[in-house]
Amino acid sequence: MTTNYLTIMMKHFEHMNIDVAAAAETVLNTSTVKERGEVYDCNRFLFIKDGTGILYMQDKEIPLVKGMLCVLLSGVSHRIAVEQDEEITLLWCHFRSSYEDRDLYKTLKMPSNILLVDEQGTVALFERLFEQLAQDNLTSRLRIKATMLELISNYLDSLPTGAQEGAPTEDLQKIDMVLHYIDEHLADNITVENLAKQVYLHPNYFIVFFKGILGYSPIQYVNQRRMETAKGLLLKPECNISTVASRVGMQIYYFSRMFKAHTGLTPSRYRKQATTFASASQTSGGEGKKN
């Protein structure tokens, strides 16, 4: 999976709403599994806590093993089979998510199942989800969403390179080209017209197209990438503030003003604090080794 596809996925999850309808731990055996496929009007996470089985989904037979996370989209028929005298323990949740009426998961063609790197951490996240769903206080919904985003992060952290199922869609190819263009021309004057030309779209349509996938207008995204790049450059001693401003295509006064609006700190203050923190971390690490 390319960096730009991950960027699209991250931006999508940052902005989408997540509504968890239910979650629980279930033990299945030959007497409790269903013979026919089930279809849900919500998305499902299935995590294999223990045991083995087979997931039948569309035309696929997916062997289920301990540590596997399955992502089942709404409307997809599926069923689980278990061998005689065997059982499988599932941690699951049912959720709905939306953003701009686009299903980015389908667009990105992400794998429907993957072995997670952090198996124990995932179990802990599901247990936290169960706990929060059983409560009804002011912060429960926020904590539920935070837990779901951690589950999704575990999924993304476990994805190998080239993990898409099939070739990327035409829309994704267009966005990929635009994001590459932006990263290669941060020092230049980037306009909506420039970006729209890269994918042969009218500027007005391109703005809607871009925001529908990334969640930002094109210029908002360009400025965000400039600030992210600037933060990295400010950590390099050889780059003074004037050089950093030039590398991200901005006049120094405008750059300083935007950087402070983005981080709450001036570029010089940000560099000083980051350097101080790095020095303190190295000193702490060094003392730890001596001990």
Side-chain angles (χ1 to χ4, degrees):
M1 180 167 48
T2 70
T3 301
N4 283 340
Y5 290 169
L6 267 179
T7 297
I8 296 168
M9 202 71 173
M10 296 298 185
K11 299 303 179 185
H12 170 68
F13 288 129
E14 284 176 15
H15 291 271
M16 78 177 183
N17 295 318
I18 303 177
D19 179 26
V20 178
E25 178 174 322
T26 300
V27 178
L28 294 179
N29 52 43
T30 51
S31 64
T32 56
V33 295
K34 298 184 178 180
E35 295 297 324
R36 295 184 178 181
E38 297 180 284
V39 178
Y40 292 80
D41 65 352
C42 57
N43 303 314
R44 306 186 76 196
F45 275 159
L46 297 179
F47 179 72
I48 315 307
K49 182 180 179 181
D50 200 13
T52 59
I54 298 177
L55 172 65
Y56 293 93
M57 184 178 65
Q58 296 174 321
D59 297 328
K60 298 179 181 178
E61 292 185 17
I62 301 170
L64 299 177
V65 296
K66 188 173 181 287
M68 178 180 286
L69 179 70
C70 299
V71 185
L72 308 174
L73 300 181
S74 61
V76 175
S77 177
H78 60 278
R79 70 180 182 89
I80 295 174
V82 181
E83 293 291 334
Q84 187 69 34
D85 300 324
E86 297 288 335
E87 64 180 25
I88 185 169
T89 304
L90 306 174
L91 304 180
W92 57 265
C93 70
H94 295 172
F95 66 99
R96 294 177 178 84
S97 60
S98 62
Y99 179 67
E100 297 284 337
D101 294 324
R102 284 180 178 267
D103 193 333
L104 262 291
Y105 185 93
K106 288 180 180 177
T107 300
L108 286 168
K109 299 184 177 181
M110 307 293 280
S112 57
N113 61 92
I114 190 168
L115 282 173
L116 294 186
V117 174
D118 186 4
E119 185 179 328
Q120 291 184 339
T122 301
V123 172
L125 288 173
F126 270 99
E127 291 174 348
R128 188 194 308 171
L129 194 61
F130 303 156
E131 179 184 345
Q132 290 301 322
L133 283 168
Q135 299 179 16
D136 186 20
N137 56 47
L138 190 63
T139 60
S140 292
R141 290 179 63 85
L142 289 176
R143 295 182 189 279
I144 287 169
K145 180 173 181 178
T147 303
M148 288 296 291
L149 289 176
E150 283 195 62
L151 278 172
I152 292 168
S153 296
N154 281 1
Y155 169 84
L156 293 175
D157 284 340
S158 301
L159 288 175
T161 303
Q164 292 101 334
E165 295 182 339
T169 64
E170 183 179 350
D171 282 359
L172 262 189
Q173 292 179 48
K174 288 179 179 179
I175 286 293
D176 196 38
M177 289 173 60
V178 172
L179 297 187
H180 275 300
Y181 180 88
I182 290 171
D183 283 344
E184 291 172 0
H185 293 82
L186 284 179
D188 303 331
N189 179 30
I190 301 175
T191 66
V192 171
E193 288 73 19
N194 293 148
L195 300 178
K197 284 180 181 178
Q198 305 307 309
V199 288
Y200 306 101
L201 295 177
H202 187 280
N204 291 342
Y205 177 77
F206 173 75
I207 293 173
V208 176
F209 167 75
F210 188 95
K211 189 173 183 180
I213 294 180
L214 270 295
Y216 297 94
S217 72
I219 298 305
Q220 283 176 326
Y221 179 81
V222 168
N223 287 333
Q224 185 184 66
R225 285 294 300 136
R226 282 175 167 153
M227 295 302 100
E228 290 170 354
T229 302
K231 287 192 288 186
L233 292 172
L234 285 169
L235 300 181
K236 299 180 178 181
E238 68 272 17
C239 290
N240 59 38
I241 294 173
S242 178
T243 300
V244 173
S246 177
R247 294 271 291 273
V248 296
M250 304 176 75
Q251 296 293 327
I252 188 168
Y253 171 75
Y254 186 54
F255 165 69
S256 297
R257 188 172 65 179
M258 181 177 286
F259 190 88
K260 186 175 182 180
H262 181 76
T263 65
L265 301 171
T266 64
S268 57
R269 180 81 179 275
Y270 178 87
R271 184 205 293 273
K272 183 177 180 180
Q273 289 203 352
T275 303
T276 301
F277 179 77
S279 299
S281 297
Q282 291 174 0
T283 301
S284 176
E287 290 176 351
K289 290 178 181 178
K290 289 179 182 179
N291 294 334

